[in-house]
Amino acid sequence: MTQASSPPAVSIRNVAKSFGKGIYAFRVLDDVSLDIGRREFFTLLGPSGCGKTTLLRLIAGFETADSGAISIEGEDVTARPPFHRPVNTVFQSYALFPHLTVEQNVAFALEEQGMARDAIRKRVGEALEMMRMGSFAKRKPAELSGGQQQRVALARALAPRPRVLLLDEPLSALDLKLRKEMQIELKMLQEEAGITFLFVTHDQEEALTLSDRVAVMQSGRILQMGPPREIYETPTHRFVADFIGDINLLDGEALPGGGVRLEGGTVLSAPHNASGKVTVAIRPERARLAPAGEGALEATVVHSAYLGTAMLHKLDLPGGGTFLLRQSDPTEAAPEAGSRVGLALPAEALRVLDR
Amino acid sequence: MSAALRRFFLLSPALAVILFLIGVPLCLMAWVSLLDKGGTSGVDWSSAPSSANYVRLAWEEDFDGTMILNTSYLVIFLRSVSLAAVTTVLSLAFGLPVALWMASLSRTGRDIMLLLITIPFWTNLLVRNYAWLIILREDGWVSRFVNMISPWPVQLLYNDAAVAIGLTYSLLPFTILPLYTVFEKFDWRLLEAAHDLGATRKRALLRVVLPIATPGIVAGALLVFIPCLGAFVTPALLGGGKTLMLGNIIQMQFGASRNWPFGATLAVVLLAIMLVVMTAMALWRNRRTA
């Protein structure tokens, strides 16, 4: 995605930020560096308090970094106030101006730029049309539903044609159905507008669906950064594996020359070059049921749930702990609750992670 | 009991208060304003109602019986309105930054500030005006300091400026409090949104903060302007009897002059001015929000 010839849309270099002073100081961002390519849909994903919103606010200019540099399309904006940065934000609370109509809200930035009146009218019309809000132009924000306010917030942020659009959990206030609709719409909008999107969310499913690349954050650091498939299939940290999707985590000890001895004593053959305490991770859909006595592990079926497209089995491991197994063909014969089964764990589906 | 009857009974205490404590006295005052002065009570109740008192506001009878223009009352009206306007502007100029700053404080900070602002009310208005008399008088330290740095002698007391200072001091809390309630509820993220959309600090203040604060500004302005028009303690003390306002001449008519009907006339006119101002404000706001 990143073009080698031109500078990246957003470049963040060794940014650190703390809130509070002295012994109360709390480090929110710890030496974060990343590049976002032009026209990329980039997502910052992490639990609340991981620093993702702070990073977005630093790029918008609402906060100042303690150290490090931020540049947008090659221009250093670290010391610039928010009104002199070529980015616009879609706020989690929408932050629409309550005293202005929809059309006045969308025209706000254009008027600040000193654009001619006719040009403003045309641009506002286009922006509202793109968000299918043209018929609501004369309404006040209070007269709109949540989803409609969301569209106005998007139209308002896109109207001045920013280099980068910052989205701070914009869908979190919507109900599930509307949220799914807006997800698709956002993705299409980004492709249509050809603008770099920096999206912040704690919803891992949303992040995987929308993004070209995802950065998973925890405690002010970026743990892993890459395309959704890479993050899902080859997590590099136990936290990333656990945070994204369902996964089985089996603790054990790395054996020299490959293989892991699990806490129950069973040895799994899994390729790795780690040492000491490790965790073996496997997605529920990558493990397979085997007849009792075969497979790498023995387990007892506790409960089976029919999901329509698949069966989800909850199994008890003899050493304690549960194991989730997703049987992708629900018409296949399912084991009965209480029966003993074997678990086939393909070596290529196992990820050995440091603990 | 029907719903309407029930509603009437529930409302009757409030209706009685409005009728007997506001409605009846107002009608009485309007009636008295049409009568002649007389006797020891100040009112000649048996006289025929006439508009003579209202004519007296602007005209007087010359020695030969012709009516000539008498501007002395009109000047006082004009002075009252302009002093009230100046005081209102001053109160807003001081009140807006204070209210904004208060809203930015912590919970405890706000409570302390609210307490500090209400503390002056614990003292009588008369006493507070005497305090200003001491502050502004010729041998007071403020006056001495001003005269030290000023190239020409400055008189601080017994003029329009002294009255404006005194009124602003007394009525400032009435501007701060409604403004503070607006700013306390203000969503500061809107300011971030304005900056994000390219508005500088000044532009964001003009386009977002002030328009949203308009109800507070209007309320604060009315709460200062109206009491100002009727004020009589501050002009009497700090104006030294030279700077008369409407409140003073009304008080004089009911007191020393023993001319209740003319006092009532002046009060009716004062009421009319206030009504005009408030209606204008209401119309202006309706047009803005429509």
Side-chain angles (χ1 to χ4, degrees), chain A residues 57 60 62 81-84 87-89 91 93 95-100 104-105 108-109 111-112 140 156-157 160, chain B residues 186-187 189-204 206-212 288-290:
Chain A
R57 291 174 59 80
F62 303 138
F83 39 87
H84 289 146
V87 299
N88 285 125
T89 310
F91 295 85
S93 59
L96 297 176
F97 302 123
H99 59 298
L100 300 180
Q104 288 168 331
N105 262 283
F108 191 96
E111 283 163 6
E112 289 303 320
K140 289 276 178 73
R156 185 178 71 172
Chain B
F186 188 79
D187 181 359
R189 287 171 296 194
L190 294 178
L191 211 56
E192 283 187 352
H195 288 327
D196 188 68
L197 295 166
T200 58
R201 287 172 192 90
K202 201 175 100 194
R203 296 283 302 160
L206 283 176
R207 292 196 69 185
V208 177
V209 179
L210 289 184
I212 292 176
R288 266 179 54 90
T289 50

Side-chain angles (χ1 to χ4, degrees), chain A residues 248 284 287-290 297-304 312-318 320-326 335-345:
Chain A
N248 296 296
R288 262 188 289 283
L289 288 174
L297 289 171
E298 289 276 302
T300 315
V301 179
V302 179
H303 177 77
S304 298
L312 191 66
H313 303 294
K314 197 174 157 196
L315 312 163
D316 257 349
L317 293 176
T322 52
F323 192 97
L324 284 179
L325 190 144
R326 196 181 164 96
E336 294 209 1
S339 63
R340 288 185 69 78
V341 291
L343 292 176
L345 309 175

Side-chain angles (χ1 to χ4, degrees), chain B residues 62-89:
Chain B
D62 207 354
F63 297 116
D64 57 0
T66 53
M67 301 301 270
I68 58 162
L69 199 67
N70 171 8
T71 53
S72 52
Y73 291 114
L74 293 178
V75 167
I76 292 173
F77 270 76
L78 216 63
R79 181 192 291 132
S80 296
V81 171
S82 48
L83 259 174
V86 167
T87 306
T88 306
V89 170

Side-chain angles (χ1 to χ4, degrees), chain A residues 114-304:
Chain A
M115 196 184 266
R117 208 170 263 223
D118 289 344
I120 291 179
R121 199 175 309 130
K122 189 160 164 276
R123 186 78 77 82
V124 168
E126 282 168 10
L128 287 178
E129 227 31 73
M130 186 154 75
M131 296 315 300
R132 299 202 309 278
M133 288 297 290
S135 50
F136 297 92
K138 305 285 180 202
R139 299 253 193 115
K140 289 276 178 73
E143 298 163 333
L144 302 177
S145 72
Q148 290 166 339
Q149 290 186 25
Q150 168 74 78
R151 286 165 199 278
V152 177
L154 270 164
R156 185 178 71 172
L158 283 170
R161 303 201 177 136
R163 307 286 170 78
V164 181
L165 187 72
L166 307 173
L167 302 106
D168 184 10
E169 308 220 13
L171 307 180
S172 60
L174 304 178
D175 60 52
L176 190 66
K177 188 168 172 289
L178 201 54
R179 200 174 168 142
K180 297 275 178 215
E181 279 173 31
M182 280 306 291
Q183 281 180 9
I184 298 165
E185 205 156 330
L186 262 184
K187 184 72 187 163
M188 280 165 55
L189 186 69
Q190 191 254 343
E191 280 158 14
E192 197 181 329
I195 291 177
T196 310
F197 274 34
L198 175 59
F199 190 84
V200 160
T201 184
H202 63 266
D203 183 330
Q204 42 99 11
E205 199 186 320
E206 200 166 274
L208 296 184
T209 320
L210 294 173
S211 322
D212 296 320
R213 274 197 308 154
V214 180
V216 184
M217 293 184 68
Q218 189 206 12
S219 318
R221 289 166 195 264
I222 293 176
L223 293 183
Q224 191 176 358
M225 188 155 49
R229 179 180 281 266
E230 189 181 303
I231 300 274
Y232 184 82
E233 288 179 4
T234 54
T236 54
H237 291 74
R238 191 191 151 104
F239 177 84
V240 176
D242 199 17
F243 189 72
I244 292 166
D246 290 326
I247 201 156
N248 296 296
L249 297 171
L250 310 167
D251 290 341
E253 204 161 334
L255 300 174
V260 174
R261 188 199 307 279
L262 296 185
E263 274 166 0
T266 326
V267 174
L268 287 180
S269 60
H272 67 80
N273 40 30
S275 60
K277 289 179 186 258
V278 291
T279 295
V280 179
I282 182 167
R283 297 278 176 201
E285 67 272 17
R286 301 293 298 271
R288 262 188 289 283
L289 288 174
E294 291 175 34
L297 289 171
E298 289 276 302
T300 315
V301 179
V302 179
H303 177 77
S304 298

Side-chain angles (χ1 to χ4, degrees), chain B residues 87 90 132 136 156 160-170 234 238:
Chain B
T87 306
L90 281 176
W132 273 103
L136 297 178
L156 290 180
D160 285 0
V163 177
I165 291 172
L167 286 174
T168 305
Y169 162 78
S170 316
T234 307
L238 302 179

